[in-house]
Amino acid sequence: MLVSLPLAYLILMAAAATFVFSFAMAKWIPGRKGKIVFPAVSVACCLGMVLVGQLQYQHWSPQHMLVLYSFGWVGLTVGLFPSRKLMHQYAEEINRGEKREKYDVPARYTVFAVFSVVVMSFVAYALSQ
């Protein structure tokens, strides 16, 4: 269904997902590096997904991979939402030079993030058929 959209719309959808993720990460994790690193990593992940889709046995089209990237990235943003205060706190400590041996993250945050990405990936797969 979504794969039948013109490629420009799918690229716009991927760019919007990248913007939302990068904006959220820059807001939740203070520091100047994040404003450069998160968009760069997002674009690299998008290009990597398109490349991997081409190299697979099934030869997923770039349209399929852009839909999967967009939904996966939005799922990751939603999944990281509950842990935003904890990420902010840890990032401020690191910026002040304080290092911990272990950064504890409650299991419910991890489970919610994984669940959110998996559900959004299934939705992306269903909408791209």
Side-chain angles (χ1 to χ4, degrees), residues 20 35 39 57 70 77 86 99 102 110 113:
V20 168
K35 291 179 175 74
Y57 177 72
S70 300
T77 306
L86 191 61
K99 300 285 184 186
K102 185 176 180 186
T110 306

Side-chain angles (χ1 to χ4, degrees), residues 74-87:
V74 169
L76 182 62
T77 306
V78 170
L80 291 176
F81 183 77
S83 61
R84 70 191 182 285
K85 292 178 184 175
L86 191 61
M87 288 189 300

